[in-house]
């Protein structure tokens, strides 16, 4: 897993400014995604533990949104370039380098984890370990929102993402992995193709039991 993560981090280091410019609107053109993130934030606040991690935070735009929605959110990313950009763009917020397979967070500390298209580069065989790590840092009753590219087929599909290879997932297969990791999926949203590839935008919201 280390070699794969190193390659992903290096790939994103090379596109920091372009990537940040593409997402500067913070979902202004994505109402369904905004709705799911807003619902996530509301439910995390309701747990009484507003501390949340934006894992794979990139340039920090969604970390800032979560804070505006009332969470005590901080960002983690394996790309040092993304972390540097996020710190410059949002100096009042906390960002640090961190890997999703070994989060620098204590057990059961968080009310929420946002994984916004940040697991898409993980090979399917490695995804259960990443999900187990997200569960480890969630308090009982804590929420995980995973956003990803969805596909109608029975198996994950590898494709050539513009930054580094990625995978789309059947929503039911990913929901089963969440269940296997100790989470209870309770909301799912699939909507129009995200790009010319024809994948769906997909979101799964789950609670730690």
């Amino acid at each position: 897993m280390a070699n794969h993560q190193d390659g992903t981090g290096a790939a994103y280091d090379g596109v920091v400014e372009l990537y940040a410019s593409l997402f500067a609107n913070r979902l202004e053109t994505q109402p369904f995604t905004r709705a799911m993130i807003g619902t996530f934030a509301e439910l995390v606040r309701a747990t009484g533990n507003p501390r949340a991690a934006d894992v794979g935070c990139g340039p920090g735009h969604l970390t800032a949104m979560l804070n505006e929605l009332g969470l005590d959110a901080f960002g983690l990313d394996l790309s040092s370039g993304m972390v540097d950009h996020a710190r410059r763009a949002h100096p009042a917020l906390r960002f640090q380098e961190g890997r999703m397979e070994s989060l620098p967070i204590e057990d059961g500390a968080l009310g929420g984890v946002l994984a916004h298209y940040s697991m898409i580069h993980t090979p399917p065989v490695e995804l259960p370990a990443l999900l187990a790590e997200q569960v480890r840092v969630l308090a009982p009753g804590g929420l995980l929102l995973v956003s990803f590219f969805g596909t109608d087929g029975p198996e994950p599909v590898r494709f050539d993402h513009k930054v580094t290879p990625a995978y789309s997932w059947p929503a039911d297969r990913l929901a089963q992995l969440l269940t296997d990791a100790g989470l209870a999926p309770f909301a799912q949203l699939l909507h129009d193709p995200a790009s010319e590839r024809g994948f769906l935008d997909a979101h799964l919201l789950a609670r730690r039991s």
Side-chain angles (χ1 to χ4, degrees):
M1 187 180 295
N3 289 339
H4 152 67
Q5 297 286 11
D6 289 344
T8 299
Y12 275 96
D13 281 342
V15 295
V16 172
E17 298 305 323
L18 173 61
Y19 190 90
S21 68
L22 290 174
F23 294 97
N25 65 8
R26 297 198 311 173
L27 309 182
E28 289 175 8
T29 62
Q30 300 180 47
F32 292 111
T33 301
R34 285 202 316 272
M36 285 299 285
I37 291 176
T39 299
F40 165 77
E42 180 177 347
L43 293 175
V44 172
R45 292 197 309 269
T47 70
N49 179 1
R51 190 179 179 205
D54 178 10
V55 294
C57 65
H61 57 302
L62 296 186
T63 314
M65 180 179 289
L66 292 177
N67 277 274
E68 291 170 3
L69 291 170
L71 299 186
D72 177 17
F74 58 97
L76 298 167
D77 203 285
L78 54 73
S79 164
S80 60
M82 288 292 183
V83 170
D84 288 344
H85 184 282
R87 287 171 174 166
R88 293 194 305 271
H90 309 284
L93 303 182
R94 293 165 291 149
F95 298 95
Q96 69 180 93
E97 290 184 53
R99 294 175 177 267
M100 295 180 74
E101 77 273 19
S102 56
L103 295 171
I105 303 168
E106 59 271 27
D107 294 354
L110 303 182
V113 170
L114 176 67
H116 188 75
Y117 294 91
S118 53
M119 296 185 183
I120 63 171
H121 303 295
T122 303
V125 69
E126 298 177 4
L127 194 57
L130 257 65
L131 291 172
E133 182 68 355
Q134 317 312 302
V135 173
R136 178 187 68 79
V137 301
L138 280 172
L143 284 300
L144 171 66
L145 176 59
V146 179
S147 298
F148 57 100
F149 294 113
T151 185
D152 291 329
E155 300 293 336
V157 176
R158 187 181 187 275
F159 66 94
D160 291 328
H161 186 274
K162 291 180 180 179
V163 179
T164 188
Y167 299 83
S168 65
W169 277 84
D172 58 347
R173 285 288 303 278
L174 191 51
Q176 184 59 56
L177 290 184
L178 295 178
T179 300
D180 294 344
L183 295 161
F186 65 91
Q188 172 181 297
L189 176 62
L190 304 174
H191 57 95
D192 289 344
S195 70
E196 66 276 5
R197 301 185 193 96
F199 297 131
L200 298 172
D201 274 330
H203 313 272
L204 286 171
L205 188 55
R207 180 178 287 109
R208 181 180 176 184
S209 55

